[in-house]
């Protein structure tokens, strides 16, 4: 394994579902998992990596899929607020771990988080702070995957790490097709041509257009984050 990280600046996308307790009656957040994630990010930070995090909201709110006849834009607004709850939780764990962290939101809520601009986010990272981005894109109709790749481009991240509750991109849905096989390395053109839907297709197209390298892997082992940063094969590598 490399002794130095292969990326200087990363954006880590955490799915809300991956942060949820196994027993959903136990609340919305598994702080044991979050503590482990932040401990790994501290290792990355100490290795000289600049870090931004975006977070989903599936542990709290599933948008229109969790509603009955709700207006799509209003459901998405609720999801944006839910991502900010998760961002504040991550900020709290970072601070308790001795990491300086700033929560930023695309939706103005100055009492709780700084308003996001790429300039301010980059400045915070160059000062050694972890930047945690909530509020999605600030506009409805975009997934948190799409919001993550947009932010990765804006902050000039070297790579985006998508830590989800699945370990690889598969040839088919492994829950429905027992013959589905994991994919270790794939181009964005292949993902689009084969209509592989583990990740949002708008996000895939954006990464292709802006030449953003991405990894998709399971958060079940948070050390996967460090492995990816240090150049170890982990999950599915996606690129042009």
């Amino acid at each position: 394994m490399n002794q130095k990280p292969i990326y200087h600046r990363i954006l880590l996308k955490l799915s809300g579902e991956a942060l949820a307790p196994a027993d959903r009656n136990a609340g919305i957040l598994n702080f044991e998992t979050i503590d482990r994630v932040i401990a790994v990010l501290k290792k990355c930070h100490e290795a000289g990596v600049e870090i931004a995090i975006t977070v989903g909201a599936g542990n709290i709110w599933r948008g229109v899929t969790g509603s009955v006849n709700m207006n799509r834009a209003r459901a998405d607004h609720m999801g944006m607020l839910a991502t900010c709850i998760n961002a504040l939780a991550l900020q709290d764990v970072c601070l308790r771990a001795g990491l300086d962290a700033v929560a930023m939101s695309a939706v103005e809520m100055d009492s709780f988080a700084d308003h996001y601009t790429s300039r301010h986010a980059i400045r915070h990272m160059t000062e050694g702070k972890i930047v945690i981005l909530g509020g999605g894109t600030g506009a409805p109709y975009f997934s948190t995957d799409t919001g993550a790749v947009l932010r990765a481009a804006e902050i000039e991240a070297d790579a985006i790490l998508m830590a989800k509750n699945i370990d690889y991109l598969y040839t088919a849905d492994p829950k429905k097709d027992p013959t589905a096989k994991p994919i270790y390395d794939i181009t964005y053109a292949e993902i689009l041509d084969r209509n592989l839907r583990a990740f949002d297709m708008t996000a895939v197209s954006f990464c292709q257009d802006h030449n953003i390298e991405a990894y998709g892997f399971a958060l079940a082992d948070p050390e996967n984050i460090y492995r990816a940063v240090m150049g170890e094969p982990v999950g599915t590598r996606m690129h042009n």
Side-chain angles (χ1 to χ4, degrees):
M1 186 177 70
N2 292 319
Q3 297 302 308
K4 294 183 178 180
I6 63 171
Y7 301 118
H8 172 64
R9 180 180 295 161
I10 63 166
L11 185 137
L12 173 66
K13 198 276 182 175
L14 297 172
S15 75
E17 293 95 331
L19 299 179
D23 178 6
R24 297 306 292 268
N25 293 320
I28 60 173
L29 290 164
N30 182 340
F31 278 97
E32 181 179 346
T33 296
I34 297 173
D35 285 341
R36 292 169 62 209
V37 169
I38 299 306
V40 173
L41 290 179
K42 189 172 185 178
K43 286 198 332 184
C44 297
H45 185 264
E46 289 170 348
V49 180
E50 295 178 0
I51 301 166
I53 306 169
T54 64
V55 61
N59 57 320
I60 301 172
W61 177 247
R62 293 294 301 166
V64 290
T65 62
S67 62
V68 179
N69 299 323
M70 178 171 274
N71 174 271
R72 169 63 189 272
R74 192 166 296 111
D76 284 354
H77 291 156
M78 292 172 66
M80 292 175 208
L81 292 172
T83 66
C84 290
I85 291 173
N86 286 338
L88 291 173
L90 289 166
Q91 181 191 31
D92 186 75
V93 176
C94 282
L95 294 172
R96 286 193 281 108
L99 289 167
D100 197 355
V102 179
M104 305 187 81
S105 170
V107 180
E108 290 191 40
M109 47 179 69
D110 294 342
S111 296
F112 306 108
D114 293 355
H115 184 59
Y116 168 80
T117 69
S118 59
R119 181 170 59 87
H120 288 152
I122 291 170
R123 187 193 72 208
H124 287 315
M125 285 187 291
T126 59
E127 292 173 350
K129 299 172 185 175
I130 308 294
V131 173
I132 306 166
L133 304 170
T137 64
Y141 300 102
F142 294 98
S143 73
T144 52
D145 281 352
T146 299
V149 299
L150 172 62
R151 295 292 181 248
E154 288 179 329
I155 66 170
E156 301 175 356
D158 300 315
I160 178 168
L161 310 184
M162 292 190 169
K164 294 175 171 277
N165 55 359
I166 55 171
D167 51 359
Y168 295 97
L169 184 64
Y170 282 82
T171 54
D173 187 343
K175 294 179 181 178
K176 299 176 181 178
D177 185 350
T179 67
K181 292 181 171 54
I183 299 169
Y184 302 101
D185 192 283
I186 192 169
T187 66
Y188 294 122
E190 289 178 282
I191 294 174
L192 294 169
D193 287 345
R194 294 163 64 179
N195 198 31
L196 300 174
R197 293 198 168 269
F199 303 108
D200 181 87
M201 287 295 154
T202 303
V204 172
S205 295
F206 189 94
C207 285
Q208 181 184 44
D209 291 345
H210 296 274
N211 197 30
I212 301 171
E213 187 165 305
Y215 289 85
F217 54 83
L219 190 62
D221 183 1
E223 285 291 334
N224 282 335
I225 299 167
Y226 187 75
R227 294 183 187 111
V229 164
M230 299 304 288
E232 273 194 73
V234 60
T236 301
R237 176 175 175 253
M238 295 165 280
H239 57 93
N240 279 335

